[in-house]
Amino acid sequence: MATLDMTAPSDRRQALRRMLLIREFERAVRDNFADGEIPGFVHLYLGQEAVAVGACAALTDDDYVTSTHRGHGHCLAKGMDERRLMAELYGRSEGYCRGKGGSMHAADLDEGMLGAQPIVGAGVPLATGAGLTAQLHDRDWVGLSFFGDGAVAEGQVHESINLAATWDLPAIYVIENNLYSEGMTFEKQHNVDDLADSAAAYGIPGVVVDGMDVEAVYEAVTEARERAARGDGPTLIEAKTYRYRGHYEGDPEPYRTQAEVDEWRENRDAIDTFAARLREEDIIDEGDREEMEAAVKADIEAAIEYARDAPFPDPEEAYDDVFVEPNPDVEYFRERRDGAGSTGGAGR
């Protein structure tokens, strides 16, 4: 999905449409999972749409992202087709992973999606790897990782960001701080007000941004990408946001009140706020939003029918597509290692 210019009215309308598409997709998944149509386990992105859309709008088609167990929004914002993504959730062979990945493993290298990762923090090393590959091969792409506030407590997250900072890798790390690590409040897990403060330990910029403001996220990631492209290394961005659903579908949510959820939905909703801003600037009117909502609803209904009609994968294919071919160019890395001595071939 192409980069947006958020100074252009047409592209700002497109950003609103992308957020509406994610919301309608997630609503449909919520309902059809509850009806038993979608197998497995799902974690919805409702409420956090501005982070995915704002960040991916600042990236190029060549850039790579990694996602979490809550990855549908990242997939759609990066440009993956809603029909194939829905088919993946339905476990059908027309899905991005031929129905074998499901909700928590969707990936598409052609769109720069290195994969949703159900293991907490597991996408961060992959984004660091994308940055390392760009540096080794003199490519222009960056690796961006989305991860939650709970993942910040994972050791591999610190190792990965530290490595990227030390080697000035073209990487961006976006913490989606939705205030709850599964069922634990932010205050019970962290001893700081802002997770972006940890950037100081790596010697890189740390930025706090309103994750309910798509344009604020876009501006922060745009600046981070420019820094990465210059060879100045990674940036740590903390987007403060909120999820409207539980950690997983079926979560009884004993850790928060409905009044708290309602307050965020009614007064801080990212789509309502951005749509109101566009109306004030005469970029859209009420009719435009209604037309967009009707259009994305039709797109999602078509995606559901596409998924329902698609076949299941054959059991004989269970071991197909497990490994990528061809294998990595190991000799290339050996030559770099042997030529650069004990640094392993990477670094400045």
Side-chain angles (χ1 to χ4, degrees), residues 106-306:
D108 182 38
L109 300 186
D110 291 337
E111 293 291 351
M113 168 53 76
L114 292 178
Q117 303 292 330
I119 304 301
V120 176
V124 182
L126 291 177
T128 299
L132 177 59
T133 303
Q135 187 182 79
L136 287 172
H137 290 275
D138 297 322
R139 300 297 178 89
D140 294 330
W141 70 62
V142 304
L144 182 149
S145 181
F146 294 103
F147 54 104
D149 44 298
V152 174
E154 292 285 339
Q156 61 186 335
V157 171
H158 293 285
E159 294 173 27
S160 300
I161 300 175
N162 181 63
L163 200 65
T166 303
W167 290 349
D168 285 338
L169 298 183
I172 303 169
Y173 302 98
V174 178
I175 306 167
E176 294 191 83
N177 183 357
N178 63 22
L179 307 183
Y180 292 99
S181 304
E182 296 194 9
M184 181 178 290
T185 61
F186 176 83
E187 293 78 13
K188 289 182 178 178
Q189 188 178 25
H190 301 285
N191 194 34
V192 295
D193 293 329
D194 297 318
L195 294 172
D197 287 350
S198 61
Y202 313 119
I204 63 174
V207 180
V208 178
V209 65
D210 181 357
M212 305 301 277
D213 184 338
V214 64
E215 291 182 292
V217 175
Y218 172 82
E219 290 169 5
V221 176
T222 296
E223 185 173 338
R225 196 192 182 286
E226 290 172 351
R227 168 182 161 79
R230 290 195 304 267
D232 293 338
T235 299
L236 180 65
I237 298 171
E238 178 186 3
K240 294 183 183 290
T241 184
Y242 194 77
R243 58 170 159 81
Y244 293 163
R245 302 292 290 177
H247 172 62
Y248 58 90
E249 283 304 284
D251 180 1
E253 304 179 63
Y255 47 83
R256 66 180 182 182
T257 65
Q258 187 59 47
E260 178 187 296
V261 179
D262 292 343
E263 197 279 333
W264 278 82
R265 296 179 72 127
E266 293 169 6
N267 300 315
R268 298 193 59 183
D269 183 76
I271 294 177
D272 290 346
T273 301
F274 187 50
R277 187 182 304 163
L278 296 185
R279 283 197 299 274
E280 290 172 359
E281 299 177 22
D282 293 325
I283 294 174
I284 66 166
D285 56 31
E286 284 293 341
D288 289 333
R289 176 170 175 175
E290 291 176 1
E291 288 181 8
M292 287 186 193
E293 289 178 330
V296 298
K297 187 172 184 177
D299 289 344
I300 298 305
E301 288 175 350
I304 293 170
E305 291 306 313
Y306 178 84

Side-chain angles (χ1 to χ4, degrees), residues 64-142:
Y64 289 98
V65 303
T66 67
S67 182
T68 69
H69 54 278
R70 203 179 307 283
H72 309 160
H74 305 140
C75 292
L76 293 172
K78 194 62 175 71
M80 291 170 67
D81 180 79
E82 64 270 13
R83 295 174 306 166
R84 293 188 62 195
L85 183 60
M86 190 68 79
E88 186 60 41
L89 269 62
Y90 271 73
R92 308 303 174 106
S93 62
E94 298 301 317
Y96 276 102
C97 302
R98 297 190 59 77
K100 302 173 188 174
S103 170
M104 291 192 282
H105 299 86
D108 182 38
L109 300 186
D110 291 337
E111 293 291 351
M113 168 53 76
L114 292 178
Q117 303 292 330
I119 304 301
V120 176
V124 182
L126 291 177
T128 299
L132 177 59
T133 303
Q135 187 182 79
L136 287 172
H137 290 275
D138 297 322
R139 300 297 178 89
D140 294 330
W141 70 62
V142 304

Side-chain angles (χ1 to χ4, degrees), residues 4-17:
L4 298 182
D5 175 4
M6 294 293 273
T7 65
S10 60
D11 282 11
R12 297 174 75 193
R13 289 168 57 98
Q14 183 62 21
L16 177 60
R17 190 187 187 286

